[in-house]
Amino acid sequence: MYQRLISWENLLLAYQRAAKGKRGHANVAAFEYRLEDHLWQLQRELEAQTYRPGPYASFYIHEPKRRLISAAPFRDRVVHHALCNLIEPIFERGFIHDSYANRVGKGTHRALNRAQTFARRYRYVLQCDLRQFFPSIDHAILRAILHRKIRDEGVRWLMDRILESGVGVLAEEYRMVWFPGDDLWAVHRARGLPIGNLTSQFWGNVYLNGFDHFVKRQLRCKGYVRYVDDFLLFSDDKAQLWVWKKALESRLAALRLVIHAGAQPRPVTEGFPFLGFVLFPQKRRLKRRKGIYYQRKLRALREAYARGEITFEQLTASVQGWVNHVRYGNTVGLRKAVLGSLRISRREQ
């Protein structure tokens, strides 16, 4: 398996996938300028197992919430794709149908549709999200999960190198949580997956896959949807959801994860937040702060266009992207309110 991973064909495919939509970036262009030399060097390092990941470049984003994004060097992103090309199909076969993040044929809008289908079918919903999900992912637990499926020693070696490269990257984002049986050394456990790595997104699904099966098989919850660390459980019995919540907390503790405080069952007719929208059985509203955020962003883009800092095409692309997203909700009035006041003066043109 490792020989297939480091084959020229797989590394070239990995480069193509890593570079998709980014070929205008300086680091990608520099890699492409001497593509054969860079891929050959990567192949040689991987074959000799002398490959070591480079340092991350970190920055904060503030929407939908404040997160520390850590971007690996481009050559490392090629390696991440080369690894995922081989191991994703192995794990994908074991994922449940209603896990929607970072999977082909899934995505945000299908998750919203599925959740609304359940909202029409059941009376109550338990909406949960995990505290500090990526900073909390425990390396020893994840490594054991990965190694149970992947037996090739070379692939195991590479996964371990990538895991080790993320130690400490999110240390400042993690607030220590103590679990039953912890001793003082628990604070030194290796944890955290850099948000921004392809492997991190995929391994997040791997980490919670056992939890998904617990909900479906042991709790026998038929109405369940998960997108990364946001998940919903539906039932006609409110008391049943309270019982399930306790079971969820116990199961997640084994993964060293905690549900945000305040999660409690509610009637679906009251509406419940999920993936930037508030869902009801028969309608879907954009969260208020999402609309306010885009109004501010649009104002800033308009001013940047007026100063000549961005092109009209870039301004248009932002508007089209936002409209394409919010049209999946009942947002005709919102779109008119936000875009109806948009004016481009002659001076700006």
Side-chain angles (χ1 to χ4, degrees):
M1 185 177 181
Y2 191 63
Q3 291 305 312
R4 285 189 286 125
L5 192 155
I6 66 174
S7 68
W8 183 264
E9 293 78 12
N10 188 48
L11 290 176
L12 181 60
L13 176 62
Y15 158 74
Q16 292 167 345
R17 290 180 172 177
K20 186 176 181 180
K22 303 180 179 68
R23 296 181 68 180
H25 296 187
N27 57 345
V28 181
F31 192 95
E32 185 178 28
Y33 181 69
R34 297 179 57 195
L35 179 59
E36 292 186 0
D37 290 342
H38 285 122
L39 289 183
W40 179 77
Q41 180 64 28
L42 262 182
Q43 186 182 49
R44 189 170 67 171
E45 291 178 20
L46 290 167
E47 187 171 21
Q49 296 191 353
T50 58
Y51 164 78
R52 293 293 182 272
Y56 289 90
S58 297
F59 56 93
Y60 284 97
I61 62 170
H62 298 274
E63 180 65 25
K65 57 186 176 182
R66 188 175 185 269
R67 292 180 185 271
L68 178 65
I69 305 297
S70 301
F74 182 73
R75 75 190 303 265
D76 291 340
R77 281 179 263 160
V78 173
V79 174
H80 298 167
H81 276 272
L83 173 64
C84 288
N85 286 347
L86 266 71
I87 69 172
E88 269 195 25
I90 296 172
F91 287 95
E92 176 68 28
R93 291 192 292 268
F95 291 161
I96 67 167
H97 174 78
D98 285 319
S99 166
Y100 286 88
N102 309 307
R103 297 177 65 192
V104 176
K106 301 291 185 175
T108 310
H109 299 131
R110 294 200 178 192
L112 288 165
N113 290 341
R114 185 65 161 166
Q116 197 159 36
T117 297
F118 287 139
R120 293 169 183 157
R121 191 178 301 172
Y122 297 97
R123 295 173 58 198
Y124 299 100
V125 61
L126 175 64
Q127 186 270 330
C128 303
D129 64 315
L130 300 175
R131 287 170 48 193
Q132 314 175 109
F133 175 55
F134 282 105
S136 298
I137 291 178
D138 188 271
H139 287 200
I141 296 173
L142 176 58
R143 185 174 183 271
I145 295 171
L146 293 171
H147 283 214
R148 276 199 296 270
K149 280 278 190 182
I150 305 299
R151 300 303 179 91
D152 186 286
E153 290 300 328
V155 180
R156 285 180 170 184
W157 170 85
L158 181 58
M159 293 190 299
D160 289 347
R161 297 292 78 74
I162 295 172
L163 258 182
E164 290 166 3
S165 73
V167 173
V169 172
L170 294 178
E172 294 184 4
E173 302 299 301
Y174 180 75
R175 292 184 180 180
M176 184 62 195
V177 178
W178 299 93
F179 294 92
D182 278 353
D183 55 25
L184 293 177
W185 293 103
V187 73
H188 299 295
R189 293 178 71 100
R191 60 173 65 86
L193 295 182
I195 303 173
N197 278 4
L198 175 68
T199 49
S200 299
Q201 298 166 18
F202 171 59
W203 285 344
N205 276 342
V206 171
Y207 199 74
L208 288 177
N209 185 46
F211 173 75
D212 292 339
H213 284 279
F214 169 77
V215 174
K216 297 294 289 184
R217 296 185 179 188
Q218 296 190 39
L219 298 187
R220 297 187 180 278
C221 176
K222 295 182 179 180
Y224 173 69
V225 179
R226 182 176 66 80
Y227 190 94
V228 192
D229 58 335
D230 291 324
F231 54 93
L232 306 169
L233 285 79
F234 294 84
S235 175
D236 284 324
D237 186 346
K238 194 173 185 179
Q240 179 70 78
L241 288 174
W242 281 113
V243 172
W244 283 350
K245 183 187 175 186
K246 289 187 177 180
L248 299 178
E249 291 171 338
S250 176
R251 180 71 178 191
L252 288 167
L255 296 171
R256 306 187 67 81
L257 297 173
V258 177
I259 296 173
H260 263 116
Q264 58 184 8
R266 67 172 74 183
V268 294
T269 53
E270 290 183 359
F272 54 94
F274 190 54
L275 304 181
F277 288 84
V278 179
L279 303 186
F280 299 84
Q282 302 301 332
K283 62 183 178 181
R284 192 182 299 178
R285 302 292 192 197
L286 190 72
K287 276 188 175 179
R288 183 175 181 274
R289 66 179 179 84
K290 293 283 186 178
I292 293 172
Y293 167 79
Y294 190 73
Q295 282 181 309
R296 292 172 179 167
K297 180 179 179 180
L298 186 57
R299 191 180 306 121
L301 287 171
R302 184 172 177 271
E303 292 171 356
Y305 174 67
R307 296 190 297 268
E309 296 172 359
I310 63 172
T311 65
F312 184 75
E313 288 72 21
Q314 289 173 302
L315 176 61
T316 302
S318 174
V319 172
Q320 289 176 337
W322 181 75
V323 169
N324 188 53
H325 174 62
V326 301
R327 69 184 176 87
Y328 285 90
N330 303 99
T331 58
V332 173
L334 174 66
R335 282 177 271 165
K336 287 181 178 179
V338 172
L339 302 178
S341 60
L342 182 61
R343 297 289 183 271
I344 305 297
S345 68
R346 292 182 180 178
R347 179 179 63 85
E348 294 168 332
Q349 292 175 341

